Amino acid sequence: MGRAWHYHFRVSASKHNDVPLNRFGVALSDADTVAGRIEAEAFLSALIRGAPWAAEEAWNRYAPMVFHLLRRGMGPSADLDDCVQEVFLRAFRRFKNLRDATALRSFVYSIAVRVMRWQLRRRRIRRWVGLSDTGELPELGQAPLDVEAREALRRTYALLEKLGTLDRTIFVLRHSEELSLPEIANAVDVSLSTVKRHLGRTSSRVARLVRADPLLSTYLSIGRLDADSEGRDA
Amino acid sequence: MPEIDQSRKPDIGTLLRVGSPGLSPQGQRSGWARFKGALDRRQGPTTYRRVVIALTACGALGAIAVSTTISPHKAGRSAAAIGTPAPLTYVADRGEILSDGVIRSTDPLGAGVRFSDGSHILLKAATRAQIVSVESRGARMAIADGEVVVDVVHQPSTRWRFDAGPFSVFVEGTSFSLGWASTDERFHLRMDTGVVTVKGPLGADPIRVRAGETLTVSVPEQQIQLRRHESDRQLGLEPEVTPSSAALAPPPPATSGRPPSHPSWPRAEATVRSMSGGVGRSSWRDMVAAGRSSDVVIEAETRGIRVTLARVVRDDLAALADAARYSRRNDVAGLTLHALRNRFPASDAARDAAFFLGRLEEADNPRSPRSLDWYRRYRAETPHGLYVSDSLGREMLIMQRLYGDEAARAIGREYLARFPQGHLAARAAAIATR
C-alpha cells in the first residue's frame, strides 16, 4: 500500500502585512476558505483522474518552483530539464496517495527535494568512479551577473560540490530557499536534531572554505554562516 | 587594507538566488510539451488523442461556421407568428398580475391564473412566478421559486412552456404540479394526466414524463429520479408499457439479483419506452429514461469506448453522454461530448454539448477558466438556446469566484436585463448592486 502523504503548512505572518503565509511565502487565504479547499480537492481529483487540463495547470503552477529549487541546489547543470521532468513524473504517479489536497504544492516541493538529493548523490558516485562529472562546473549560462559575481558564483558552486548530499541539501534549503529548520526536517524527512547538527557542521565548514578563498572572502558576507554554525539566529 | 562593510555584501544564499535565472516562458512551454508527451506515452493512446484533438478543433470550427449560417431560423419563426390569431387572455384569481407579468398573491394560501382557453394555473403559497408571454396556442410562465399546479386544456398545436429554474417543461395538454426550490436547486414535477417534455441542464436530450410519473432533479448532486407515484402503486396501477416497449423491456431487475446501479435510479419503477417511437432493441435512450445509466456506460466500455464513440449513431452518443454524466463518469462524459461535437457538429446535441462541457469543467474545478470558454462558445453557437440563461449565470458566478464582484458585475447586469426572472436573478442583483 502506498504511503499516505500528509503535509501541514506553517501559518506565519508576513513581514509587511498580516496575510498568513505558508512555508513558501504564498498567501493562505485561498486554502483557508471553503471555496479554496473545494477547489484544491477538485483540482487534485482531476489530477488523479488524469484530466489533461489539470496536468497542464499543475505544470504551470509548479514547474517554475521546481526549476528554481533544482537550479539553486544543483547549480548549472545539463540535466536540469530532465530532473524537472523526473519530479513531475514522480508526482503524477503519487498524487493518488496525497490525502490533503491543499498540501499539493508542498507535496511537489518535497518530491523535488528528493530528486535533487538523488541527482546530487548520483553525481558524486559518477565522480568517484571516474565516469564523468569531474567537479568542474559548466558555464553559468544566462546568469544576470557581472564578471566578479559570476566568478564568485562559480566558486561557490565548486565549494558546494565538496559537501555531502544531505549536507548540501540542508544547506541550500536553509540559505537559498530560506526554510525554517522544522520545514527542512519535513522536506528532507529527517529529525529536527539531525537538521541542526548537519546545518551547524556544514555552515562552519562553508564559512571556513569561504575565508580560505581570496575572492569569496572579500565578496561574500559570512555572518549568517557563522550564526548557523553556532546555532543562533543571524 | 580598508575595512569592508559586511552588511553591504551578499550572503551565500542571496548569491545563489540572484545567480539562478528562472524558468523562461519558452522553457516552460517546451518543458510542458515534453512532459505532456511523457504523460501520453504513459497513458497509452497517443495517436487517438491526436486525432481527437484535431477533430475537436475541426468540429469547433465547423460548428461555429454552421451556427453562423443557420442563425436566421428565429427570424423565420417571428415571421410565421405574423397574422396568427389573437393571444389568450387571462385573469388573476385571488391575486393580481402586474404590468411585467409578475403574479402577486392576495391570499396567504396562494393565487391562481385562469386563461381564456380554460387552462388554469394555481400558485401555492409563497410561490414567485411571472407570465413571460402569451400567444394564441398557449403561454410561457417562469417560476422563480415555489410550486404551481397546472391544468392545461389540450388542443391541436398546444404550446405551453413553464420555466422552473434552469429547466423547461413543454406541455402538450395535461395536468401536473411543478416545483422549483431556488435555494437547493431542486426541481420536482408530478404528472397527473397527459405528457410533458422536460429539458434542463443535466441532459442533452429531453425527458418525456407521462401520467403517473414523478420527475425529481437535484442540480447540485446531478441526480435525476423518474418514478411512479406512490399513490398509483397503492391503487394497483401498472406502469405504462406500450406493446412495442413491452417487447423491448429488459428482464425485471428484481429477478436478476443485481442491486440497482445507482440508489437514486429506481429501475423497477421506471417505465421503459422508446422516445423515438419504436426501434428494434432497447436503445440507450430508453435505458437512460429507465434509470439504467450505469448500464449504458458499462455497455459502452464493454464494446470499447473508442470504437463506441467512433461508430454509434448520434442519438446513442447523446444518450451515452447523459448516462455518463448521470452516473458521474465525467471522464466518459467528456470524451462523448467531444465526440458528439466532432462527428455531428451541425446537430443541436453538439451545440448543447458545449454547455455540458462547461458544466463538466466547472464540476472538476469551480474556478476553471475553461468552463468560461465553453459557456461563451455555447452562447456564440446557440444565441437563443435553452441554456443561454444558465450559461450566462454560471459565467457570472465563475467570474465572481475568480476575480471578485467587480469583474462579475457587468455579466450580472446583463443577466438581470435579459433574464429578470431567471433562477440566478437574485444573485445577479446582489452582484450588480454590491
Side-chain angles (χ1 to χ4, degrees), chain B residues 27-72:
Chain B
Q28 187 165 342
R29 278 196 300 274
S30 61
W32 162 245
R34 187 179 163 199
F35 181 63
K36 185 171 180 299
L39 276 184
D40 287 345
R41 279 193 297 279
R42 202 181 67 164
Q43 292 172 357
T46 315
T47 309
Y48 172 69
R49 281 166 187 245
R50 282 198 197 112
V51 170
V52 166
I53 290 165
L55 288 177
T56 303
C58 294
L61 288 172
I64 291 168
V66 169
S67 66
T68 310
T69 311
I70 293 179
S71 59

Side-chain angles (χ1 to χ4, degrees), chain A residues 39 42 49 53 56 59-60 67-68 71-72 82 85 88 92-93 143 156 175-176 217-221, chain B residues 9-13 15-23 28 31-32 34-35 42 361 364-365 367 370:
Chain A
E39 187 206 349
R49 209 176 45 254
W53 68 265
E56 185 173 1
W59 177 271
N60 289 333
F67 182 88
H68 273 105
R71 178 70 165 78
R72 291 168 188 171
D82 292 342
Q85 298 282 328
F88 276 85
F92 271 70
R93 277 200 296 267
T156 299
H175 287 273
S176 173
S217 61
T218 55
Y219 189 84
L220 286 177
S221 160
Chain B
K9 297 198 306 188
D11 62 22
I12 202 164
L15 180 64
L16 290 176
R17 283 193 297 275
V18 172
S20 303
L23 184 59
Q28 187 165 342
W32 162 245
R34 187 179 163 199
F35 181 63
R42 202 181 67 164
E361 291 283 356
D364 274 347
N365 175 9
R367 300 172 70 171
R370 289 167 196 269

Side-chain angles (χ1 to χ4, degrees), chain B residues 309-386:
Chain B
L309 296 184
R311 292 187 183 171
V312 298
V313 297
R314 187 185 63 196
D315 288 347
D316 278 352
L317 209 52
L320 175 60
D322 285 350
R325 284 158 40 76
Y326 298 159
S327 54
R328 302 190 181 191
R329 288 294 307 276
N330 287 0
D331 51 342
V332 176
L335 285 173
T336 310
L337 290 168
H338 279 298
L340 204 52
R341 287 180 64 80
N342 294 336
R343 290 183 56 202
F344 308 102
S347 66
D348 288 343
R351 284 191 280 273
D352 288 349
F355 174 76
F356 296 124
L357 283 165
R359 293 284 299 186
L360 284 182
E361 291 283 356
E362 194 181 349
D364 274 347
N365 175 9
R367 300 172 70 171
S368 167
R370 289 167 196 269
S371 52
L372 290 179
D373 293 341
W374 281 118
Y375 290 147
R376 288 167 186 161
R377 187 178 298 183
Y378 169 74
R379 292 203 303 280
E381 294 174 3
T382 321
H384 305 289
L386 188 65

Side-chain angles (χ1 to χ4, degrees), chain B residues 210-283:
Chain B
R210 300 188 176 195
E213 292 179 343
T214 297
L215 175 68
T216 308
V217 183
S218 170
V219 175
E221 295 165 6
Q222 301 202 356
Q223 285 188 351
I224 297 181
Q225 202 171 37
L226 181 65
R227 58 185 169 82
R228 306 286 301 177
H229 300 332
E230 285 296 318
S231 57
D232 293 346
R233 282 195 288 162
Q234 286 166 1
L235 290 170
L237 297 179
E238 291 299 318
E240 178 186 351
V241 181
T242 61
S244 60
S245 66
L248 305 173
T255 59
S256 69
R258 270 178 70 187
S261 54
H262 193 288
S264 66
W265 288 84
R267 297 164 63 180
E269 297 170 355
T271 303
V272 177
R273 57 175 178 267
S274 169
M275 291 177 63
S276 54
V279 288
R281 61 182 174 81
S282 176
S283 74

